[in-house]
Amino acid sequence: MMIPDQSPFRSAVQGVGRRAVLRGAVIGALAAAPVPFARQLAGGSAAGQATQAASSPAAAAAGCTDLPLVGGAEFPIGLYWPPHPFATTVERYAQMREAGFGFLITGNYVDDSAIISHALAIAEQVGLKVLVASDPDVQNFAQRFTISDDRSVPMSITTADARNLATAALNRYRGFESFAGFSLGDEPSRGRLPALGKAFAVAREVAPRSTPYSNMVPGSDTSYRDFVREFVDNLHPPMLSFDRYPFLTSGEDQQYFQNWAIIRSEGLRANIPTWTFVQSVEYNNHRFPTEAELRWQINTSLAYGCKGIQYFTYWQPDPARGEGFGRALTTADGTLTPLYAAAKTINTTWLRQVGAELKPLVSELAVHANETPPAGATGFTPGTYLSGTSGSAAVLGLFHPTDAARTRWLLIANRQYSTSATTTVTLNQATVTKVSVFDPATSAYVAQADRTRIVANLAPGAAALYRLDA
């Protein structure tokens, strides 16, 4: 990313977000393209694949199953704002890998080709993938200029020039096994989407087996839903990513689930996976999250069908940059905070395993049980598999496989991050023949004796995954 505009409450048409503050006001105003999670592989007709990918969201999705991070069995767990250049060492990168992270997005002054190449070499040693942000050639064709063969368009470059810039950037890093792709931008404005779509098309043409990616601003109204749809229809991205940071110093963001409902709906419409950023830093009006709050963000997102979790941020941004950035998984001097240990536990003992189970599945339901649904969310109603609920409030995610199999997977996430929960889900006996609970320690399902109901005892912010044979 080019240092993204990650404001939790910035609407699609309002001001500058926290990520823009990190990347700088001028770059923030120009930013308008996706973050390609890409790795260039040999073979294939670039022009032919680019044309196919650009034809429609469905066509683009059909070609994404083997792309880096989107394809494969591993659930993508990423981070933004990694160690600065002086802390770009094997030791620091090994800490990230040990905490369960699979990829990082460059930033924190890891911006020029020399330090980017150094970061890629270090990441290669520890097994991390890298999404390269702030490469000057990428910024030029994706953010600073508009791609147009009409020479009367101000601040424009030709399509051929854009291809040359993309190829030059690709050739600098494609030899690194850790190279996963380029950031074409972050949190684009609505008016920038047509230009961003052209940058996406060039990226696909030059690197057809790369993963173009852009992260969206948060929002929750009808205009935002239209914006998300335009984003998808202009860019044809292989995934739909957004950020919203729900833990305010004054309480919980009341529109968090409404935002997720819109993203989930549009991701399903386009048949592409949805990703999110979780809040892992304190800054103006946003508190330092606890382990339970971090777990809650991850599990409620999984219940809404999330297929990729990214942390904002890993390293504490320099407070002098603005917005009062405080602790993240590290402090500004690199001291590990309690949130590092929390993320390591969650990532390595839960998210990696459960995420791998859910990644190939399709979200069928995301509903709120035993509470009045928050704004924009859907309440539980009995159905083919689930006939009733009682007890503590929970978010239920029901998933089905891509084939015609009748098996379903049920994720029960504690709606509360401050108290434990006991939630009971009654099962439809005309459909469900067997119930098994997933054990992340062994990545196996353990059959339970009672197939009439599930009783989930959950710690604050925790969740449990069940397989329902039918």
Side-chain angles (χ1 to χ4, degrees):
M1 298 179 196
M2 202 185 135
I3 304 192
D5 300 344
Q6 283 263 322
S7 166
F9 303 113
R10 189 163 77 100
S11 76
V13 293
Q14 293 174 338
V16 177
R18 304 310 183 268
R19 294 165 70 119
V21 172
L22 288 182
R23 72 166 169 256
V26 174
I27 294 299
L30 292 169
V35 183
F37 285 82
R39 179 173 54 189
Q40 171 68 8
L41 302 176
S45 167
Q49 294 186 44
T51 301
Q52 178 190 22
S55 61
S56 69
C64 295
T65 55
D66 62 347
L67 292 178
L69 302 179
V70 181
E74 184 176 347
F75 187 87
I77 306 174
L79 63 90
Y80 182 59
W81 214 245
H84 55 72
F86 290 109
T88 302
T89 63
V90 172
E91 177 186 13
R92 287 296 188 180
Y93 274 43
Q95 285 177 338
M96 293 186 286
R97 187 59 177 152
E98 289 166 4
F101 292 102
F103 72 94
L104 65 94
I105 304 163
T106 61
N108 201 5
Y109 309 103
V110 180
D111 291 340
D112 62 61
S113 60
I115 187 58
I116 290 171
S117 295
H118 176 64
L120 285 163
I122 295 295
E124 196 167 279
Q125 293 186 54
V126 303
L128 282 168
K129 297 296 182 183
V130 178
L131 302 174
V132 173
S134 301
D135 178 90
D137 285 338
V138 175
Q139 289 184 13
N140 283 334
F141 86 80
Q143 300 161 34
R144 295 192 173 108
F145 300 97
T146 297
I147 301 170
S148 176
D149 294 321
D150 178 356
R151 304 316 304 130
S152 67
V153 175
M155 294 292 288
S156 65
I157 59 174
T158 66
T159 305
D161 286 339
R163 290 192 193 104
N164 289 337
L165 290 170
T167 300
L170 177 66
N171 287 340
R172 274 194 287 279
Y173 310 118
R174 65 190 303 172
F176 292 98
E177 187 64 28
S178 56
F179 175 66
F182 289 117
S183 165
L184 299 181
D186 186 50
E187 289 192 336
S189 67
R190 194 168 183 173
R192 183 69 182 171
L193 294 182
L196 181 53
K198 292 181 180 179
F200 249 77
V202 166
R204 283 192 294 262
E205 181 179 350
V206 169
R209 290 187 172 86
S210 295
T211 307
Y213 163 95
S214 181
N215 182 68
M216 284 207 66
V217 295
S220 55
D221 57 11
T222 301
S223 176
Y224 178 75
R225 182 183 293 276
D226 294 340
F227 179 31
V228 175
R229 183 159 297 190
E230 290 177 26
F231 178 93
V232 171
D233 291 348
N234 275 275
L235 274 59
H236 309 305
M239 88 288 284
L240 177 57
S241 177
F242 82 110
D243 58 76
R244 191 167 194 127
Y245 307 128
F247 295 119
L248 315 178
T249 53
S250 59
E252 179 187 323
D253 173 9
Q254 296 302 306
Q255 295 178 317
Y256 175 75
F257 289 108
Q258 186 169 7
N259 200 156
W260 242 125
I262 292 171
I263 293 293
R264 175 182 175 272
S265 175
E266 291 305 306
L268 290 172
R269 180 188 71 89
N271 191 30
I272 55 177
T274 52
W275 290 16
T276 195
F277 276 87
V278 295
Q279 177 183 339
S280 57
V281 65
E282 59 184 339
Y283 61 96
N284 285 356
N285 302 318
H286 289 75
R287 66 182 183 261
F288 188 56
T290 66
E291 178 175 353
E293 289 169 341
L294 184 61
R295 190 185 301 118
W296 181 89
Q297 292 179 84
I298 289 170
N299 286 325
T300 55
S301 295
L302 291 177
Y304 268 79
C306 184
K307 307 298 185 186
I309 294 290
Q310 304 153 95
Y311 284 63
F312 181 79
T313 62
Y314 179 81
W315 201 273
Q316 177 187 346
D318 183 350
R321 299 188 67 97
E323 296 300 318
F325 283 107
R327 298 164 294 170
L329 272 66
T330 80
T331 61
D333 66 3
T335 301
L336 300 180
T337 70
L339 206 57
Y340 171 87
K344 181 178 179 179
T345 297
I346 296 168
N347 291 345
T348 61
T349 68
W350 172 255
L351 179 56
R352 179 187 291 166
Q353 296 83 350
V354 170
E357 293 296 307
L358 295 176
K359 186 177 182 181
L361 304 177
V362 179
S363 175
E364 183 171 325
L365 292 173
V367 297
H368 291 247
N370 308 326
E371 69 167 343
T372 300
T378 301
F380 172 83
T381 56
T384 303
Y385 291 82
L386 315 179
S387 59
T389 68
S390 62
S392 305
V395 184
L396 309 181
L398 190 67
F399 304 85
H400 66 77
T402 55
D403 59 23
R406 299 189 67 195
T407 303
R408 293 295 186 269
W409 283 258
L410 173 66
L411 185 81
I412 304 176
N414 187 349
R415 177 67 175 82
Q416 304 299 321
Y417 43 78
S418 57
T419 60
S420 297
T422 299
T423 299
T424 299
V425 177
T426 306
L427 304 173
N428 188 334
Q429 292 305 289
T431 305
V432 178
T433 60
K434 182 181 178 181
V435 180
S436 304
V437 61
F438 180 71
D439 178 11
T442 60
S443 291
Y445 288 88
V446 180
Q448 67 174 44
D450 188 354
R451 70 176 183 90
T452 66
R453 63 176 186 164
I454 292 170
V455 180
N457 296 302
L458 303 171
L465 177 64
Y466 301 85
R467 187 181 67 207
L468 310 179
D469 293 322

